[in-house]
Amino acid sequence: MPIIDSNYKPSFFFKNGHVSTVYSGLMRRVKGLTQERERITLPDGDFLDLDWSFSEEKTNKVIIMLHGLEGNAQRPYMTGTAKLFNNNQIDAVCVNFRGCSGSDNLKYRSYHSGATEDLESVINHIIQTKAYTHIYIKGISLGANMALKYLGERTEIPQEIKAVIAVSVPCSLEGSARMLHTLENRLYHDRFKKHLVDRLRIKQQQYSDILSLDALNSIKTLYDFDNVYTAKAHGFKDGLDYYTQCSCLQFLPNIKVPSLIINALNDSFLSPECYPVKEAKQNLNLFLEMPKHGGHAGFIDKKNVYYNEKRALEFVKQSIF
C-alpha cells in the first residue's frame, strides 16, 4: 500500500523524541482499568499469565496486547490501549511474556523477539476456550516484531485474526541493537541491561550447571546478554543468528492480514532498516505510517489517549466485516 501520511502533531515539548520516550515510559499513568488474571500452561510445561479487561457489554471482539522488552501487562502503553478498546465494546487481554508477570517462569528459557510459538499458544487458547469471532493483535516494540513475524512466517493464520497494529517496531533486530549501543542511547541501554541481568542472576542460581557465574559477570552490554543468554537459551548460534532469524523484516512480504506499522522518524531505537518502505509499497495488506515525532512508543496526545491507540482503534474498525 502507499505510505500513510501521518497527522500526528504533538505539543512543542513532546516533539523531542527522548522527552516523549522518557515521559511515556516513566511518567504516564492510566487509571480506571480493572484486570483479571488467567494463567495458561504452555506445551513445554511453562506458563503465561494473561491479564483480561472487558467491555461493559458482551462482545465478540478482543484485542491481544504484546509488550516490549522487560515490560508487562500493567505498563501504560498496554493498559491505555486496553482501556480505550474496552470503552469501545472490545475486550482486551494483555499478555505477560514468560517471567514478566511478577512470577519467575519454570524453564531456563524465557521470552525473546521471535518467540511466536508462545503467541500462537495464546491465540489457540482464546479460539478454543472463548467465543470471539474477531481477534486483533497490537504489539509494542519487541511485541510488535513478534506479532508481524507470527503473521509472515506461517502459511495459514486463523480466520478470527482480522487486523494487527505494530508500534515502534525494530523490524531489523540487528539494526535496532546497533542503535541501542550508540552513545545517544546509553541510558536506555544501561537500564535495559541492568533489568535483564538482575533477573538472570536469579535464574543463574537455579541453573548454575548451564550458566556459570563467570559467564554471567562477563555481560557488559546487550550484545553480551544476547550472546551469553538469549541465543544459547533459545537455540540460536549467537546473538547475530538470533537477530537474523527473528527480525520481522524478512517476513513482511508474506503478510496477508491487514497490518499497520507506526514507526516515528525520531525513534532513536530504530535504524534505517526498521522503516520498511519498499515492503509496504509492495504488499496490499501492509500499511506504514511514519510520524515525524513520537520517539519510542511515545505518541503523547490529548486526554491521556495516545495517538497510536486512537489509530489502532480506527484501524480495527476499518477491518470489521
Side-chain angles (χ1 to χ4, degrees), residues 142-178:
L142 179 151
N145 182 83
M146 183 189 295
L148 294 174
K149 178 175 179 282
Y150 167 83
L151 290 184
E153 70 184 0
R154 287 162 170 76
T155 55
E156 293 186 9
I157 299 296
Q159 63 179 4
E160 291 86 352
I161 298 178
K162 304 300 185 184
V164 170
I165 303 92
V167 179
S168 300
V169 195
C171 297
S172 166
L173 296 178
E174 189 279 328
S176 185
R178 187 172 69 247

Side-chain angles (χ1 to χ4, degrees), residues 79-238:
T79 56
T81 297
K83 182 178 179 180
L84 179 64
F85 274 66
N86 291 168
N87 290 339
N88 285 271
Q89 291 72 57
I90 300 173
D91 291 345
V93 55
C94 295
V95 179
N96 296 278
F97 295 140
R98 300 189 192 214
C100 294
S101 66
S103 300
D104 293 335
N105 67 305
L106 304 178
K107 302 292 184 178
Y108 180 60
R109 66 157 295 174
S110 55
Y111 72 97
H112 63 83
S113 298
T116 54
E117 67 275 12
D118 287 354
L119 173 56
E120 184 174 54
S121 292
V122 172
I123 293 169
N124 289 342
H125 168 75
I126 291 173
I127 291 174
Q128 293 165 10
T129 65
K130 315 296 180 183
Y132 297 113
T133 59
H134 289 61
I135 297 175
Y136 313 111
I137 304 172
K138 183 184 179 188
I140 303 290
S141 195
L142 179 151
N145 182 83
M146 183 189 295
L148 294 174
K149 178 175 179 282
Y150 167 83
L151 290 184
E153 70 184 0
R154 287 162 170 76
T155 55
E156 293 186 9
I157 299 296
Q159 63 179 4
E160 291 86 352
I161 298 178
K162 304 300 185 184
V164 170
I165 303 92
V167 179
S168 300
V169 195
C171 297
S172 166
L173 296 178
E174 189 279 328
S176 185
R178 187 172 69 247
M179 295 302 295
L180 279 170
H181 285 79
T182 62
L183 183 61
E184 178 185 8
N185 288 317
R186 180 65 181 271
L187 292 178
Y188 306 118
H189 170 279
D190 290 353
R191 183 179 176 85
F192 282 134
K193 188 198 70 173
K194 182 181 187 304
H195 288 170
L196 289 164
V197 171
D198 285 349
R199 289 210 301 124
L200 189 56
R201 288 191 186 281
I202 298 172
K203 197 174 284 288
Q204 190 274 334
Q205 295 174 11
Q206 183 180 357
Y207 295 98
S208 57
D209 57 326
I210 302 176
L211 178 65
S212 70
L213 194 57
D214 286 345
L216 178 64
N217 290 334
S218 73
I219 299 174
K220 307 301 181 186
T221 67
L222 290 175
Y223 281 139
D224 294 337
F225 183 87
D226 287 334
N227 279 311
V228 170
Y229 174 69
T230 308
K232 293 181 180 178
H234 301 97
F236 303 102
K237 295 177 183 178
D238 52 26

